[in-house]
Every structure is written in structure tokens, then in C-alpha cells.
């Protein structure tokens, strides 16, 4: 058996001396679509930022490809950056740059590819997310759903092993949210990319999730783990049941 691509050991997260989550232990397997779920303010995005090294851990360890992000040198962290892609809630595109320039940026920073090679890669990545022909458009000239897809193209620019999504459906209507879910499934299937998604959107976590953890704000740790659909059928506690049945009709619950 291969080692997990991500592994958290007794991880505590928060800000300064304020602990948000304690004693987090979980593993993400290669090729997984892993959901980090929980109510508002429970620490989902904080956990994501800690995993990718944007926030220091209060305690414990996070391993990505067996490298401890908590204790890694800056050189090793920089290497990990090329193995991971990130799609932020807003897409986080640079407004003064075209879609082509946004997607090309990581290739220009982290590779020695020629300008011709970069053009080929950028066009391919934009086509992959359904934005062929939009290379010269600016973020202000396209819809919110298209900005999310352009952000995803940039996240995929370096062919990362892992792509992290922070509330990818935030601000999207149901149609665009479903389109993004379908893209995530396609990328996972075709490219074999490991996907880690922070979300509280029920439709998304049920449609795409293969595995998950539930961050329980009342006890400040994980209180459930497994396939979200299995957790809906057999919830381990009332808090998980309440979270997973928000807005679901009695017919679906039964």
C-alpha cells in the first residue's frame, strides 16, 4: 500500500493562542476527492490554509508527500508549491491581467519553459475548463462562474498532484455550481488529480465527495469521517445529522 498523499497528526489550528480545532488526525489518499465540511466558523478554511503552509500550525504535523509542512525548510515548501494548486473562493485572479497572463504566471515563475511552450500549456488549460477563445479577456469582462473556471485553469497550470478548493461554489448559481462540480469530477477522473474541497454546500459534497471529515465546532475536533453519502445514511451523532439534512425534504431523508 502506498503512503497517503496528505496526512495530519494531532494537528491543532487557530490564531495566536486561540485554538479553533484540536487533535485533528486524518489521511487523504492519492486520487481521492476529500471533503472538509462543517458549519460556519468551525475552521474549515483555517485548516486548508494550515495544510498548504499559509498559516502556522499551533501544534502537530501535516505531511504532504511525506514532507512535514510544519517543519519544512523554505526550499522544501517552495518545491511543494509546484505540486499543489489552489482555487480560492473568489478565483483570486489579477484584475489587471488577461486570463492568458493569469494562467501563464505560475509557469513563468516556476518553470524554464519557452514562451511557445507556455502559450501551448495556457491554451490547453483554458480549453480544459471550457474557456477556449477567452485568452485575451480580463476578469471584469467575464461572469463569476467563468472567473472560477479561469482560476481553476491557473491552479492546474503546473500539473499539480493535489488541487485545493476553498468554497468553490460560493457566489455561484445552481447551474454554474453543478458545472464546477462536473469539472472537478472530470479532472479527478482524467488526470488522476487528488482533490481537497472545503465546502458546506450539500449538493456539492454529496455529488463529488469520496471521503470526508466533519469539523465539529462544539467539541473542536473531528466527530465524523467517511463518504458523505454513507454519513447521511448512518450519521454518527445529531450534529452531523443536522448538518447533512439541512433543507433536505422528509422524502429524501427517508
Amino acid at each position: 500500500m502506498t503512503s497517503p498523499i496528505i496526512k495530519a497528526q494531532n494537528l491543532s489550528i487557530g490564531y495566536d493562542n486561540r485554538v479553533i480545532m484540536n487533535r485533528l488526525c486524518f489521511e487523504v489518499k492519492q486520487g481521492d476527492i476529500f471533503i472538509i465540511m462543517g458549519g460556519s466558523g468551525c475552521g474549515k478554511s483555517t485548516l486548508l490554509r494550515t495544510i498548504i503552509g499559509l498559516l502556522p500550525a499551533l501544534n502537530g504535523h501535516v505531511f504532504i508527500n511525506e514532507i512535514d509542512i510544519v517543519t519544512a525548510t523554505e526550499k522544501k515548501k517552495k518545491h511543494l508549491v509546484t505540486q499543489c494548486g489552489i482555487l480560492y473562493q473568489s478565483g483570486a485572479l489579477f484584475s489587471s491581467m488577461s486570463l492568458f497572463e493569469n494562467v501563464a504566471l505560475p509557469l513563468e515563475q516556476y518553470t524554464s519553459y519557452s514562451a511557445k511552450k507556455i502559450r501551448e500549456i495556457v491554451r490547453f488549460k483554458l480549453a480544459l475548463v471550457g474557456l477556449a477563445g477567452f485568452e485575451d479577456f480580463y476578469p471584469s469582462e467575464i461572469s463569476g462562474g467563468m472567473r472560477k473556471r479561469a482560476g481553476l485553469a491557473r491552479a492546474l497550470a503546473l500539473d499539480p498532484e493535489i488541487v485545493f478548493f476553498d468554497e468553490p461554489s460560493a457566489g455561484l448559481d445552481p447551474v454554474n455550481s453543478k458545472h464546477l462540480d462536473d469539472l472537478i469530477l472530470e479532472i479527478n477522473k482524467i488526470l488522476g488529480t487528488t482533490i481537497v474541497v472545503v465546502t458546506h454546500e450539500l449538493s456539492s459534497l454529496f455529488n463529488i465527495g469520496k471521503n470526508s471529515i466533519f469539523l465539529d465546532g462544539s467539541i473542536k475536533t473531528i466527530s465524523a469521517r467517511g463518504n458523505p453519502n454513507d454519513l447521511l445514511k448512518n450519521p454518527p451523532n445529531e450534529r452531523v445529522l443536522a448538518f447533512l439534512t439541512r433543507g433536505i425534504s422528509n422524502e429524501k431523508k427517508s
Side-chain angles (χ1 to χ4, degrees):
M1 295 182 64
T2 59
S3 299
I5 196 166
I6 301 173
K7 184 175 183 179
Q9 292 182 333
N10 295 317
L11 181 66
S12 295
I13 62 172
Y15 300 90
D16 298 323
N17 294 322
R18 179 183 167 227
V19 177
I20 297 177
M21 282 283 147
N22 243 330
R23 306 181 308 280
L24 302 180
C25 296
F26 61 88
E27 296 182 353
V28 180
K29 298 177 182 177
Q30 179 81 42
D32 214 351
I33 300 180
F34 189 89
I35 306 293
I36 300 172
M37 60 183 179
S40 297
C42 70
K44 301 185 298 296
S45 293
T46 302
L47 174 57
L48 185 68
R49 294 186 186 105
T50 304
I51 292 172
I52 60 182
L54 294 179
L55 282 176
L58 299 182
N59 195 27
H61 303 275
V62 179
F63 297 91
I64 298 179
N65 279 332
E66 301 185 344
I67 297 175
D68 188 357
I69 194 71
V70 175
T71 60
T73 63
E74 287 304 315
K75 183 177 180 180
K76 286 186 177 181
K77 286 182 180 179
K78 185 176 180 179
H79 174 67
L80 285 174
V81 166
T82 65
Q83 299 177 339
C84 302
I86 308 167
L87 177 61
Y88 297 98
Q89 289 186 31
S90 63
L93 298 173
F94 292 102
S95 60
S96 61
M97 301 170 68
S98 68
L99 300 192
F100 180 95
E101 291 168 332
N102 268 281
V103 179
L105 187 61
L107 293 162
E108 293 167 347
Q109 288 185 330
Y110 294 105
T111 76
S112 57
Y113 292 149
S114 67
K116 180 182 177 182
K117 179 70 171 178
I118 289 175
R119 282 196 301 272
E120 292 173 353
I121 294 173
V122 171
R123 286 171 180 159
F124 172 73
K125 301 300 182 182
L126 286 170
L128 184 65
V129 300
L131 291 175
F134 286 86
E135 292 86 355
D136 295 330
F137 281 65
Y138 285 81
S140 62
E141 298 175 322
I142 58 177
S143 68
M146 293 169 77
R147 285 194 291 272
K148 289 285 182 80
R149 285 186 276 144
L152 178 54
R154 186 178 61 187
L156 294 170
L158 296 173
D159 294 323
E161 293 184 71
I162 312 166
V163 177
F164 297 92
F165 294 78
D166 189 6
E167 298 285 3
S169 299
L172 297 183
D173 59 62
V175 173
N176 278 308
S177 180
K178 176 64 166 56
H179 190 184
L180 189 56
D181 285 347
D182 290 342
L183 266 177
I184 291 172
L185 289 169
E186 185 177 358
I187 289 164
N188 175 254
K189 181 179 180 180
I190 294 175
L191 304 180
T193 308
T194 302
I195 308 288
V196 178
V197 183
V198 164
T199 188
H200 66 276
E201 296 287 343
L202 294 180
S203 58
S204 289
L205 64 90
F206 288 134
N207 287 336
I208 68 175
K210 296 180 181 179
N211 204 353
S212 71
I213 53 174
F214 179 78
L215 301 186
D216 195 326
S218 64
I219 59 174
K220 293 189 175 182
T221 195
I222 297 168
S223 70
R225 63 185 75 228
N227 186 295
N229 291 283
D230 293 338
L231 293 176
L232 176 63
K233 294 174 184 176
N234 298 291
N237 58 62
E238 288 297 323
R239 294 180 296 278
V240 173
L241 174 63
F243 178 84
L244 293 177
T245 55
R246 293 170 293 126
I248 298 179
S249 67
N250 291 330
E251 180 180 353
K252 184 168 183 179
K253 289 181 189 179
S254 63

